Amino acid sequence: MTALHLISDFNATMLARYLESTDEPEAESLSVTEAPFGQLHRVLMAGPSDRMDAAIVWTRPEGALPSFQDVLGLKRVDESQVLADVEAFAGLVLKYAEKVPSVLVVAWSLPPTAPNYGMLDYQPGLGVAQYLARANLHLSECLAKAPSVFVLDPERWIRASMPHAFSTKLWLATKSPFGNGVYKEAARFLRAALNGIAGRSRKLLVLDLDNTLWGGVVGETGWQGVRLGGHDHVGEAFVAFQTHLAALQKRGIQLALLSKNDEAVALEVFEKHPEMVLRREDLAGWRINWGDKASNLTELMAELNLGLHSAVFIDDMPVERARVRDALPQVLVPEWPKDPAQYVDALARLDCFQASSLTSEDRGRARMYASERERKATQSLTGNLEDWLRGLHLVVEVEQLGPSNITRATQLLNKTNQLNLQTRRLSEKGFADWAAEGKRVVLTFRVSDSFGEAGLTGLLSVETQGSVAQIRDFVMSCRVMGRGVENVMFAVAVAHARATGAETLSATYIRTERNNPTLEILHASGFHQEADGLFLWKTSEVYPEPEFIELRRCAAPVA
Amino acid sequence: MFNRGQPVDRRLTPGLDAILLGDGGELDSLGVINLLVALEEAVGEEFGTHVDILTVATGQNGAEVFATTNGLVKYLSSQVG
């Protein structure tokens, strides 16, 4: 159960009700506490009275900023006063955010009936719209310094709820400025955002080909005959859909293919069709054959080292959707429109891809998967595994947790399920605070080889108390599994434990539904299994580092 | 139509016998106001006329007129008939 604090200067009870009530069967339960009405600033100043997992702050500009009342009265207002009010409000939010793991702040908006200067409304120093835009921009700038605070744009919720997004009558009768449609949309978005913060977002979009990525059946017509672009509204719809998919990929969502087709014929479209937006190098992987899609998808996810919970499957054929939905309930299979012109809208409504941060690793992940495909192709040509690993020229760089890597490190901690010792979920601030306390060290591991950079893919935290050091976090991306990186991490952990005076290093495995691979690594690690889930290493003994990996220590604390 | 837009645990019993106002009412005051304003909007769109249901409901005989969904339907029929 996630505890939410809803702070507002208006009656937001309907939002609370939509947040608490959902017809999605697997949705996380939310418990919403509304802050007392009319006490916005006092509540922010005091902080929550009970433990809260997150807070939502949604205010009207005239409720949060005293000078905005004059702006709406069309009085002359000094812009610096409005910006100063924004800073004061942001200061309160930041103070409040120190006591809650995550705070979602909704940007300000105005109803169409708000006073305005007509065609002069965007004039600097005068127009209401101009002041509103400046206030929102300044708010986002002021709050950007806090990684656990997110400023959300309500305009999408408002547009989706037109023409009933605002209701003067509801405002007069209930002090609620928005129609219910806005709260419903907002609740859907906020639930997805909370899932993203908790690391429960989807990471992979798996796509069918014929009549999904292009019109027609490529096996019948060849690449020249598919409907794609070409000043034809159907062909243009598929180009628009692919353009949106490519943009999604830039947000770190990977794309893969699952199609009943001849592989060579289907991939020809990616190579030869001039209007294809997506190309082979944009794909994390594919299964194109005549086999069962559910089995193929299972194989594909294993190849990509991703859990089924990470996947969304899109197919124009209801029977294929039903097959995957029935066989693999963990995979999200949305209903899909028949008309390709509606594909972009359907994609935009999938808000399961929310992420609380975006790193360069996310943006370049497709390239990493392409490198991995090449790497595996080479492996299949090489008989001996160690010879092959030696040929990769693996380099592992170890660096202490710091401002330059905390975002990615926290993301790795929260998103990794399979190779995660204790599956702790912490906000960026929570993680930094934890690392700063006691005798603790948090180390990050960057991996590269002759095929390219895998990026920051390992995380280790060790806590020492007296003669015992304990591994709290042992987190590794599946992308670097099987290359000896885990042994480097153990070697670094043992060396650090010894340097802090500990005689024993322990690792306590906490089982989850998905982290069995971690247990397998522990069994193969050479650590002595003392009890169920408890593994030990005597630090008097040096842990052997794999010879074929070059270890570079970038920060002093590593022993 | 109203139910589709409501949180799943706050929907009105379908049919004409759901109690709206007074003892045993299925909706709280916020729910009733939301229902009546949504109806005003729907009637405006469908019939091009504005019916001020909320003012009648909160007036002297409102509790009697709108005791059940049946009363509400009868009232609306008389207004847009």
Side-chain angles (χ1 to χ4, degrees), chain A residues 17-18 21 164 169 184, chain B residues 4-5 8 28 40 45 52:
Chain A
R17 290 180 181 179
Y18 282 116
S21 152
H164 303 303
K169 196 151 196 174
K184 198 176 177 184
Chain B
R4 270 207 310 273
V8 286
D28 62 8
E40 287 184 8
E45 277 168 21
D52 187 356

Side-chain angles (χ1 to χ4, degrees), chain A residues 25-27 46 114 215 224 279 333 336 344 444 467 482 504 533:
Chain A
E26 284 194 27
Q224 305 92 331
R279 297 289 168 182
V333 186
W336 203 244
V344 167
T444 65
S467 62
T504 309

